[in-house]
Amino acid sequence: MVTLKDVAKKAGVAVSTASYALNNNPKISETTRNMVLTAANELDYRPNGTARNLKKQKTETIGLFLNDLAGPYYSEIIRGVQKVVSDNEYDLVVCSASGGTDSTAYKFLQERRVDGAVILAPKITDKEIYQVARTQLPVVVLDRKLESDYIKYVLIDNVNGSYQAVTHLINRGYKNIGFLSGPEESYDNKERYEGFSRALNDNNFLFDENLLFKGDFTEEEGYKVISKFLKNDISIDALFAANDEMAIGAIQAIKENNYQIPNDIAVVGFDDIRLSSYINPPLTTVRHPKYEMGTFATHMIFQILQGAATESIVLPTQLINRESS
Amino acid sequence: MVTLKDVAKKAGVAVSTASYALNNNPKISETTRNMVLTAANELDYRPNGTARNLKKQKTETIGLFLNDLAGPYYSEIIRGVQKVVSDNEYDLVVCSASGGTDSTAYKFLQERRVDGAVILAPKITDKEIYQVARTQLPVVVLDRKLESDYIKYVLIDNVNGSYQAVTHLINRGYKNIGFLSGPEESYDNKERYEGFSRALNDNNFLFDENLLFKGDFTEEEGYKVISKFLKNDISIDALFAANDEMAIGAIQAIKENNYQIPNDIAVVGFDDIRLSSYINPPLTTVRHPKYEMGTFATHMIFQILQGAATESIVLPTQLINRESS
DNA sequence: TTGAAAGCGCTAACAG
DNA sequence: CTGTTAGCGCTTTCAA
């Protein structure tokens, strides 16, 4: 491995001079700089990032931590984060939090391999986040309501979003509205259920516990749960799913049982993922500003990094009316 | 920041002892180890990954470099890479290559912030890859045919895949088959065009240059190009798109012009992305083993890392018959 | 079984 | 403008 020392030797200067020259420090003369540059070129010198990071005590990279790297849901958020990170001339690495305590996410957070973290990974515990933040690492969470000096959140108005969705169903005359739930621990799921309940309450509907379907945010589970239900029973005329993936699974199940959407059963989802507008029938759903979640969150990281004040925020949602309801 | 030195001082031992203790080195006595562990706990000590990496001259992380982090196309590949990386108890970071020479990708590669690289990012030049490989960093490319001691490739049989797709169209009686092309520089696109041409040739069709439509692998462009074409002309009865995204855009355009798919115009794509089976009509396309691309590529990285022999490979494709043809 | 010390590759005072 | 040098936090050889 060719190091700065080698370059310096070849150029006949001190390492410090070589370092300055390569970093375009103005105190190095044009001639010296050229000598160094030439030497570096000839040796095909590559600075060692690890060494630089250690010395400078920063990495100039922001980490984005996701439960599952492959989730299509994240696309827009990633795009938003990416944008702001590059605007600040930092680097972005995306890491997975799958694998629990010895996941890449934990390592990168604990070992300070990033200067800031955007977290959308329920697998990372609140405790861990608090601990990391105590080492003065700026963190913005997108999947829970957590706050401290170094922790801010960017959330969407889940409650209001589902409140609107359910109110919409009620206004259209649907009477027996089921709730297709995500994992019970999920913050988003809880909030969406909350909005659902409130809408029912405010309209003097009472909720039949039998119409609470337990899913896990996946299409498969949505399909399975609703298929099973429709085998015996068809006491619902509408279904509100806590996310689009499950809604899509449910639609599949409903169609296979030869019910019409939305005539027999209406379906509304949450998230407005790309697929939702392509399926048949196109899915009514609650849209939220994913890209902006990414940009806001990352902005906040840099604010904290610069010691400026920042406020956590909750972003609005919007009901997108399509043909499934 | 609390360092190993602090822990050692608190525990009343030397740094080396503290280091051994924390790394479970058996030559440290139970009692000493406990003292160190307690001290570390009380101080909430976090080892510094950067320092360790520098010392050990390795990072135990593999980098996956993509043109665009947000592309839904990559999901399965990422999953495959992830799997093998964790099986080897390494970490995975995904980086973007957008932004050219000063992208995160370039930095991470050049500065050895990863121990190996899986590349699916046409924006990274061949030259760069060769240079990086000369520093003995194992690289596996998924988007071009490059090879050397430290470079291997995992590709799919693009030529054969599109040959089959086009032959299928011909067998079904379609006569005027258009080609909706991706960017001309794209390796995949070139190969897919090659397969297209061969299939025409082998069936004694001659290709009308007017039926070559230039897209860029995006849905929007596929939509635009085909919309424009259909305004004046309808001299095609089938369209082979170099990827599914463009095929989906084309389908949109065809439907908007009130042509029937596949009766008036058949459409075949390439990739078998998730959306393809959901759209209307479901898209006939060429499937390739994305997950396996990821696992094979990553396996190869570890092979090289261990000094074992590896061979580049080309994976087979499969025609998926749906209702668009 | 433990400790002292060298050094990974780099940056940045400081001195000249 | 350039060189000397300390040291970032850690691992590991060598000596005790």
Side-chain angles (χ1 to χ4, degrees):
Chain A
M1 157 163 272
V2 21
T3 73
L4 193 57
K5 210 167 146 190
D6 302 321
V7 176
K9 194 191 287 173
K10 174 135 193 168
V13 299
V15 271
S16 56
T17 308
S19 170
Y20 288 134
L22 290 169
N23 290 301
N24 292 316
N25 188 311
K27 60 177 157 187
I28 300 298
S29 72
E30 204 47 40
T31 33
T32 318
R33 186 196 320 287
N34 283 333
M35 284 166 55
V36 174
L37 258 38
T38 317
N41 249 326
E42 282 173 10
L43 294 173
D44 193 21
Y45 166 73
R46 308 283 174 139
N48 182 311
T50 312
R52 161 184 281 145
N53 289 163
L54 177 59
K55 179 65 195 182
K56 301 191 88 167
Q57 295 287 66
K58 60 177 177 173
T59 61
E60 300 202 329
T61 95
I62 301 298
L64 172 59
F65 300 92
L66 303 175
N67 250 9
D68 178 6
L69 289 182
Y73 166 81
Y74 303 122
S75 291
E76 283 304 301
I77 295 179
I78 298 182
R79 233 185 270 277
V81 173
Q82 171 87 268
K83 166 83 168 68
V84 179
V85 170
S86 2
D87 284 355
N88 283 275
E89 299 188 323
Y90 265 54
D91 292 308
L92 172 67
V93 301
V94 185
C95 302
S96 160
S98 68
T101 324
D102 47 40
S103 68
T104 303
Y106 270 78
K107 255 193 238 169
F108 270 63
L109 284 171
Q110 295 183 340
E111 301 181 352
R112 285 200 92 79
R113 278 148 85 141
V114 294
D115 291 346
V118 176
I119 296 182
L120 177 46
K123 278 190 186 151
I124 299 179
T125 62
D126 288 4
K127 191 174 156 222
E128 177 61 23
I129 295 178
Y130 276 126
Q131 284 196 350
V132 164
R134 270 200 282 115
T135 68
Q136 316 206 331
L137 186 91
V139 177
V140 175
V141 290
L142 306 183
D143 57 1
R144 68 196 84 186
K145 200 160 190 165
L146 229 57
E147 227 176 351
S148 81
D149 279 358
Y150 282 85
I151 309 176
K152 301 294 165 194
Y153 60 79
V154 175
L155 296 172
I156 52 167
D157 197 344
N158 281 305
V159 176
N160 201 41
S162 49
Y163 186 92
Q164 307 242 313
V166 176
T167 306
H168 153 87
L169 285 170
I170 293 174
N171 290 343
R172 293 244 167 153
Y174 295 101
K175 299 289 181 206
N176 298 298
I177 307 174
F179 182 77
L180 178 47
S181 155
E184 285 169 30
E185 335 75 72
S186 154
Y187 175 82
D188 284 333
N189 185 66
K190 274 184 228 154
E191 298 271 296
R192 289 169 195 184
Y193 182 65
E194 173 70 20
F196 170 82
S197 299
R198 281 199 208 163
L200 292 193
N201 269 332
D202 290 359
N203 288 276
N204 299 314
F205 279 48
L206 38 82
F207 183 50
D208 176 357
E209 293 290 336
N210 293 318
L211 303 187
L212 174 62
F213 308 106
K214 292 188 185 170
D216 61 0
F217 279 158
T218 67
E219 180 188 352
E220 292 75 26
E221 203 57 24
Y223 172 80
K224 273 192 215 157
V225 172
I226 300 303
S227 286
K228 199 173 148 201
F229 173 73
L230 293 177
K231 288 283 173 287
N232 329 307
D233 196 346
I234 157 69
S235 55
I236 57 172
D237 58 6
L239 181 67
F240 174 56
N243 77 348
D244 283 359
E245 291 284 347
M246 292 192 301
I248 290 168
I251 286 181
Q252 181 70 15
I254 294 169
K255 290 202 289 193
E256 279 183 18
N257 282 275
N258 294 313
Y259 294 113
Q260 298 293 319
I261 303 171
N263 294 342
D264 297 328
I265 304 177
V267 180
V268 175
F270 204 113
D271 281 346
D272 193 30
I273 62 175
R274 184 174 182 216
L275 242 181
S276 301
S277 62
Y278 288 91
I279 56 165
N280 183 12
L283 181 67
T284 295
T285 185
V286 180
R287 174 183 294 170
H288 46 87
K290 303 171 196 64
Y291 181 82
E292 284 72 17
M293 283 186 85
T295 54
F296 283 131
T298 314
H299 252 123
M300 286 157 69
I301 295 280
F302 286 107
Q303 292 283 309
I304 302 174
L305 236 24
Q306 288 151 19
T310 358
E311 294 294 332
S312 293
I313 44 172
V314 174
L315 301 173
T317 59
Q318 182 193 5
L319 184 67
I320 304 292
N321 246 299
R322 299 205 185 93
E323 290 141 49
S324 70
S325 70
Chain B
M1 159 165 271
V2 23
T3 73
L4 192 55
K5 208 168 147 190
D6 301 321
V7 176
K9 193 191 288 175
K10 174 135 195 169
V13 298
V15 269
S16 54
T17 308
S19 171
Y20 288 133
L22 290 170
N23 289 301
N24 291 317
N25 188 311
K27 60 177 156 187
I28 300 298
S29 72
E30 204 47 39
T31 32
T32 319
R33 185 193 321 287
N34 283 334
M35 283 166 54
V36 174
L37 258 38
T38 317
N41 250 326
E42 282 174 10
L43 294 173
D44 193 22
Y45 166 72
R46 308 283 174 140
N48 181 312
T50 310
R52 161 184 281 147
N53 290 163
L54 177 59
K55 182 65 197 181
K56 301 191 92 168
Q57 295 287 66
K58 59 178 177 173
T59 62
E60 300 203 328
T61 96
I62 301 298
L64 171 59
F65 300 92
L66 303 175
N67 250 8
D68 177 6
L69 288 182
Y73 166 82
Y74 304 122
S75 291
E76 284 304 301
I77 295 180
I78 297 182
R79 234 186 268 278
V81 173
Q82 172 86 267
K83 167 82 168 67
V84 178
V85 169
S86 359
D87 284 355
N88 282 275
E89 298 187 325
Y90 264 53
D91 292 308
L92 172 67
V93 299
V94 185
C95 303
S96 159
S98 68
T101 323
D102 47 39
S103 68
T104 303
Y106 270 78
K107 256 193 237 169
F108 270 63
L109 284 170
Q110 296 183 339
E111 300 181 353
R112 284 201 91 79
R113 276 149 86 140
V114 293
D115 291 347
V118 176
I119 296 181
L120 176 48
K123 277 191 188 151
I124 300 179
T125 62
D126 288 4
K127 190 174 157 225
E128 177 61 22
I129 295 179
Y130 276 126
Q131 285 196 350
V132 164
R134 271 200 282 117
T135 69
Q136 316 206 332
L137 185 92
V139 177
V140 175
V141 289
L142 306 183
D143 57 1
R144 68 196 85 186
K145 201 162 191 163
L146 230 56
E147 228 177 350
S148 81
D149 279 359
Y150 282 85
I151 309 175
K152 301 294 165 195
Y153 59 80
V154 175
L155 295 173
I156 51 166
D157 197 343
N158 281 305
V159 176
N160 201 41
S162 48
Y163 186 92
Q164 308 242 312
V166 176
T167 306
H168 153 88
L169 285 171
I170 292 174
N171 289 342
R172 295 241 165 155
Y174 295 103
K175 299 291 181 206
N176 299 299
I177 308 173
F179 182 77
L180 178 48
S181 155
E184 285 170 29
E185 335 74 71
S186 155
Y187 174 83
D188 284 333
N189 185 66
K190 275 183 226 153
E191 298 270 297
R192 290 169 195 184
Y193 183 65
E194 173 69 21
F196 170 83
S197 299
R198 282 199 207 163
L200 292 193
N201 268 332
D202 290 358
N203 288 276
N204 300 313
F205 278 49
L206 37 81
F207 182 51
D208 176 356
E209 294 290 338
N210 293 318
L211 303 186
L212 174 62
F213 307 106
K214 293 187 184 169
D216 60 359
F217 279 159
T218 68
E219 180 187 354
E220 291 76 26
E221 202 57 24
Y223 172 79
K224 273 193 215 158
V225 172
I226 300 302
S227 285
K228 198 173 148 199
F229 173 73
L230 294 176
K231 289 280 174 289
N232 328 306
D233 198 345
I234 158 71
S235 54
I236 57 172
D237 58 6
L239 181 66
F240 174 57
N243 78 348
D244 283 359
E245 291 283 347
M246 290 192 301
I248 291 168
I251 286 180
Q252 182 69 15
I254 293 169
K255 291 203 289 192
E256 280 183 17
N257 281 275
N258 294 314
Y259 294 113
Q260 298 293 319
I261 301 170
N263 294 343
D264 297 328
I265 303 177
V267 179
V268 175
F270 203 114
D271 281 345
D272 193 29
I273 61 174
R274 184 175 182 215
L275 242 182
S276 301
S277 62
Y278 288 91
I279 55 164
N280 183 15
L283 181 67
T284 296
T285 185
V286 180
R287 175 183 293 170
H288 46 87
K290 303 171 196 63
Y291 182 81
E292 284 72 18
M293 283 187 85
T295 54
F296 282 131
T298 314
H299 253 123
M300 287 158 70
I301 295 281
F302 286 107
Q303 293 282 309
I304 301 173
L305 235 25
Q306 287 151 20
T310 357
E311 296 292 333
S312 292
I313 44 172
V314 174
L315 301 173
T317 60
Q318 183 192 3
L319 185 68
I320 304 293
N321 247 298
R322 300 206 184 94
E323 289 141 49
S324 70
S325 70

